[in-house]
Amino acid sequence: QVQLVESGGGLVQAGGSLRLSCAASGRTFKTDTMAWFRRAPGLERAFVASITRNGDRTDYANSVKGRFTISRDNAKNTLYLQMNSLKPEDTAVYYCAARRFAISSLADLYNDWGQGTQVTVSS
């Protein structure tokens, strides 16, 4: 099992940027595929981005492609999400997630989750 702790959320104006971090412990980080999901008020949890164990492949939801960048630092056991050109519709609780197998956009395939960090984008 891995423990995940997100940080970096906050309130930002539309067009601004935030960088989320997810610190992992309890299992060898470099063996996990990682992802970011988000849950907006009244909506289901949605895929944002994912990254392979060594970072050689990334996938993004169409809604964030070109604005968000997922990355990882295996030496620091940390996952990142750089969010630029933020829009009010990006407002959500953002969660990082880990799984031991191949990269995926399906939330049900991820076994370990953080507690989430709130991102609010004002218009």
Side-chain angles (χ1 to χ4, degrees), residues 58-116:
T58 56
D59 287 335
Y60 295 92
N62 288 335
S63 59
V64 307
K65 203 169 293 185
R67 299 187 298 122
F68 290 10
T69 302
I70 188 172
S71 63
R72 65 191 297 163
D73 185 336
N74 287 346
K76 296 182 178 180
N77 293 344
T78 304
L79 175 73
Y80 302 100
L81 185 68
Q82 178 66 44
M83 306 186 294
N84 298 329
S85 302
L86 282 161
K87 305 175 181 179
E89 51 263 44
D90 294 318
T91 295
V93 178
Y94 284 72
Y95 301 89
C96 65
R99 70 186 302 254
R100 300 299 303 277
F101 304 104
I103 195 171
S104 174
S105 62
L106 300 177
D108 288 346
L109 296 183
Y110 286 81
N111 306 109
D112 299 288
W113 294 81
Q115 82 291 346

